[in-house]
Amino acid sequence: MRYSKLFPKTIREPKRDMVAVSHKLLYMAGFTRELSAGRYELLPLGMKVFQKLVSLIDKEMEAIGSQRFSIPLLQPIEYWKKSNRDKAWGSLLMKIKDRNESEFALSATGEGIVTEMVKETKPSHKDLPIVLHQFIAKFRDEMRPRGGLLRVREFVMKDAYSFHTTEEDFMKTYNDFYKAYSQICEKLDLTYYPCIADSGALGGDYCHEFQIPCEAGEDKIAKCDSCDYAANIEKAEFVREEVNRGQELMPYKIVDLPTNVAKIKELAKHYGLPENCFIKNVVYKTKSGKSVIATITGNMDVNGFKLAKVVGEDELVLATNEDLAKIGAKTGFVHSWGYEEYKKKIIFVVDESIAKAKNLYGGYKTESTDPINVNYGRDFSADIVGDIADPIDGVVCKNCNKGKLKIIRAVEFGHIFKYDHFYTTHHDGFYIDEDGSQKLMYMGAYGIGIERAMAILVESHHDAKGIIWPEAVAPYDVHIVDLRKKEEGIRNKDIVVELEKSGIEVLWDDRENV
């Protein structure tokens, strides 16, 4: 390729709203352009990287016995409704109607459609396992696309699906994908952590994310410094500190406290105590409008995903001032107990940290008073006790009970899911067993976003001068720039011809007088 013909040329400065390194560099180097919020055009250089990524991943999929296939982008909404995924995806799912008023979902994921496809072949036990993969556009109506290619509304994903007779057979394939994803990361020279994660709207209850450390990432993971445990903070388990361990239970007392001392930092300063000695309340709301008062020690934060799981909801939203007023509460004066006349409208949940602590401060602040020496079980109780907290740096790992967790900002490179019978139950995904009976297939799914992978590579491989692509996906193997005068020796065109004959891709800067 002659540089004089390359479309487009480089740009010296990024746009002012670009924050992520990959967003800036892919724009400046001429790899991408934004068409609309969350939708990007891949220019020729970007397309070359994209194709090489697809080729590399495709080969790894073939190596573990996966066959490539393809499904339509527009999918009848009825298939999504079978597993209630239309509601689980909510506003993220984009929908469209045709001229006959038939409703379709734009491909956001493919589990239901692929299960329907496989079951139509009426597989027998001899046909399983079936392992399939595709590269297909995905559409997700993200509320806030950001970070360039890191969070978009339209992208291509390598998604794969496997179907099995037994859980044991499924786990063999799950481990094949685990190893394949590890190899892909290694071939791309990426530092990665396979993390226990939450399946979210996709369903299932066991999965791993392959997370890449990245300052621009929107995920946080907890990694043990002693064992191989790593988990997304939505699933991270840790040993709770026993606050005031060894103290005798002190008598419950009400003390005076100025109204304007309400935040944890203000309380800690006022009493001269560490933040973990205080009770903090955060209020969420269920879809039905019920309030959830989550109680935790003041040094930690409530994890909304964990809290939703504990109370049996798909998701929760933070309560507004109006919601608080409906239960007789207001910001800064939410109680961990009481509200007798609103009992049916409230679910009280406390974190394990509260249940293990002694002699805490707070939990029932009024305009002028505050309780001290509050003990769970003696002075108040809750409907649920569970793990509802984000881990913090330095807490003890629950897996090995000795290492400490480090919190790392990261971005998801790939995700593998164990679904068991979640989708095959809803879609009648049966196979014929040896005895002629119908049995549900075990199922898994495995995904990698291609454009996001490009962004991750740039985030991980760059310096002050720009992008340093890993050799496996570099758009060109060699870039020739002539620093000599024409009369001073070998013609670059001859060098280009010889290199290309050897199978080496060349970008030749053929410009003169530059």
Side-chain angles (χ1 to χ4, degrees):
M1 166 59 69
R2 293 171 181 255
Y3 187 85
S4 62
K5 302 296 183 184
L6 183 66
F7 171 79
K9 302 301 185 289
T10 57
I11 294 174
R12 289 185 181 275
E13 298 292 335
K15 293 183 177 179
R16 277 189 292 181
D17 63 342
M18 294 178 174
V19 177
V21 170
S22 58
H23 195 184
K24 295 176 183 177
L25 294 183
L26 286 168
Y27 168 77
M28 292 164 65
F31 284 75
T32 63
R33 289 292 181 271
E34 187 174 22
L35 176 64
S36 64
R39 293 183 172 86
Y40 284 81
E41 300 156 336
L42 291 181
L43 306 182
L45 286 174
M47 197 63 198
K48 285 185 74 68
V49 175
F50 177 93
Q51 289 171 328
K52 289 188 176 185
L53 267 170
V54 167
S55 178
L56 185 152
I57 295 167
D58 193 39
K59 285 175 183 174
E60 291 297 329
M61 296 299 96
E62 289 180 353
I64 60 173
S66 182
Q67 302 174 73
R68 192 163 169 178
F69 78 114
S70 182
I71 60 174
L73 297 176
L74 294 181
Q75 302 159 2
I77 195 67
E78 290 75 20
Y79 293 125
W80 283 75
K81 289 181 176 179
K82 282 188 177 184
S83 59
N84 208 34
R85 292 305 87 190
D86 59 322
K87 289 186 173 61
W89 279 81
S91 60
L92 279 175
L93 184 64
M94 300 184 72
K95 291 173 277 193
I96 191 171
K97 288 183 179 181
D98 67 9
R99 67 179 68 189
N100 298 315
E101 290 297 303
S102 297
E103 191 171 21
F104 295 83
L106 273 72
S107 173
T109 187
E111 285 82 356
I113 305 302
V114 177
T115 304
E116 292 282 339
M117 180 185 76
V118 170
K119 83 168 187 184
E120 285 298 316
T121 68
K122 295 181 170 55
S124 78
H125 64 96
K126 294 179 181 178
D127 299 315
L128 301 177
I130 294 170
V131 186
L132 305 167
H133 72 281
Q134 64 176 343
F135 294 86
I136 185 174
K138 302 290 186 186
F139 302 87
R140 296 176 183 177
D141 199 6
E142 296 283 353
M143 185 178 293
R144 290 182 296 275
R146 54 202 176 275
L149 298 183
L150 289 172
R151 174 64 68 180
V152 292
R153 287 177 171 151
E154 183 176 337
F155 60 97
V156 171
M157 178 177 279
K158 186 287 299 175
D159 53 346
Y161 305 92
S162 66
F163 299 86
H164 309 264
T165 55
T166 65
E167 184 176 18
E168 181 183 12
D169 185 62
F170 164 77
M171 286 308 300
K172 290 177 184 176
T173 297
Y174 188 92
N175 289 327
D176 284 343
F177 273 93
Y178 189 103
K179 291 173 185 175
Y181 277 32
S182 298
Q183 281 188 253
I184 291 166
C185 289
E186 287 163 13
K187 286 183 177 181
L188 296 173
D189 193 25
L190 291 171
T191 298
Y192 66 97
Y193 299 113
C195 296
I196 298 165
D198 185 77
S199 300
L202 289 163
D205 59 4
Y206 180 79
C207 65
H208 284 86
E209 293 171 343
F210 282 71
Q211 292 278 5
I212 313 298
C214 174
E215 281 304 310
E218 56 189 29
D219 289 340
K220 287 183 181 179
I221 63 171
K223 175 72 180 74
C224 180
D225 63 9
S226 181
C227 69
D228 61 1
Y229 180 79
N232 191 301
I233 58 167
E234 296 166 8
K235 294 286 281 189
E237 297 182 343
F238 60 99
V239 178
R240 296 300 191 276
E241 173 192 12
E242 295 183 31
V243 179
N244 295 328
R245 181 181 180 181
Q247 286 188 8
E248 294 293 326
L249 292 188
M250 304 287 285
Y252 178 91
K253 290 173 62 177
I254 302 292
V255 298
D256 294 332
L257 183 70
T259 303
N260 61 348
V261 179
K263 295 179 181 178
I264 294 297
K265 289 190 182 300
E266 295 167 348
L267 291 163
K269 183 178 180 181
H270 176 83
Y271 287 109
L273 293 170
E275 292 182 1
N276 63 355
C277 289
F278 295 89
I279 291 174
K280 178 164 72 175
N281 291 315
V282 183
V283 187
Y284 287 79
K285 183 174 65 173
T286 68
K287 286 181 181 178
S288 64
K290 206 166 190 178
S291 295
V292 179
I293 298 180
T295 302
I296 196 167
T297 52
N299 61 321
M300 293 195 291
D301 291 318
V302 173
N303 184 291
F305 292 95
K306 286 185 176 182
L307 181 63
K309 292 285 185 186
V310 164
V311 299
E313 294 281 325
D314 289 332
E315 64 177 345
L316 300 170
V317 295
L318 284 168
T320 63
N321 288 335
E322 186 180 339
D323 295 323
L324 294 179
K326 289 178 181 177
I327 59 169
K330 62 180 181 179
T331 302
F333 298 89
V334 176
H335 305 324
S336 303
W337 63 90
Y339 303 119
E340 298 303 325
E341 61 186 296
Y342 304 105
K343 279 284 187 182
K344 293 182 180 179
K345 296 182 179 180
I346 303 172
I347 303 171
F348 289 96
V349 184
V350 302
D351 183 67
E352 296 167 3
S353 59
I354 293 288
K356 290 186 175 183
K358 290 180 180 179
N359 302 327
L360 296 174
Y361 281 50
Y364 202 98
K365 177 174 167 46
T366 69
E367 292 287 347
S368 58
T369 66
D370 200 31
I372 64 171
N373 302 328
V374 179
N375 288 273
Y376 182 77
R378 184 193 72 178
D379 303 317
F380 77 106
S381 61
D383 301 304
I384 302 170
V385 176
D387 175 5
I388 60 170
D390 277 341
I392 54 179
D393 259 325
V395 292
V396 176
C397 171
K398 205 168 186 177
N399 186 60
C400 66
N401 216 38
K402 60 178 180 179
K404 293 185 177 180
L405 297 183
K406 180 175 177 57
I407 308 304
I408 302 169
R409 186 167 288 280
V411 60
E412 179 192 311
F413 175 81
H415 207 151
I416 58 177
F417 300 87
K418 179 179 183 284
Y419 290 142
D420 294 338
H421 296 143
F422 183 87
Y423 284 96
T424 53
T425 296
H426 291 291
H427 292 272
D428 298 327
F430 296 107
Y431 74 95
I432 309 301
D433 204 1
E434 289 178 272
D435 60 6
S437 64
Q438 287 189 329
K439 292 183 178 176
L440 288 170
M441 293 180 284
Y442 282 84
M443 182 189 178
Y446 321 86
I448 295 175
I450 307 303
E451 287 92 339
R452 179 185 283 186
M454 289 174 60
I456 288 171
L457 287 171
V458 177
E459 293 287 338
S460 300
H461 300 297
H462 70 272
D463 62 14
K465 296 180 180 179
I467 304 167
I468 308 170
W469 292 108
E471 188 176 347
V473 296
Y476 291 96
D477 301 314
V478 172
H479 186 179
I480 290 183
V481 182
D482 196 348
L483 303 180
R484 304 165 305 177
K485 295 178 182 178
K486 282 187 179 180
E487 62 272 14
E488 288 182 0
I490 302 170
R491 294 171 60 210
N492 279 330
K493 186 173 181 180
D494 297 332
I495 299 173
V496 172
V497 170
E498 289 303 311
L499 287 171
E500 288 182 340
K501 278 183 182 177
S502 302
I504 296 171
E505 292 181 288
V506 180
L507 177 59
W508 172 27
D509 191 342
D510 62 328
R511 295 173 298 169
E512 296 181 8
N513 303 317
V514 176

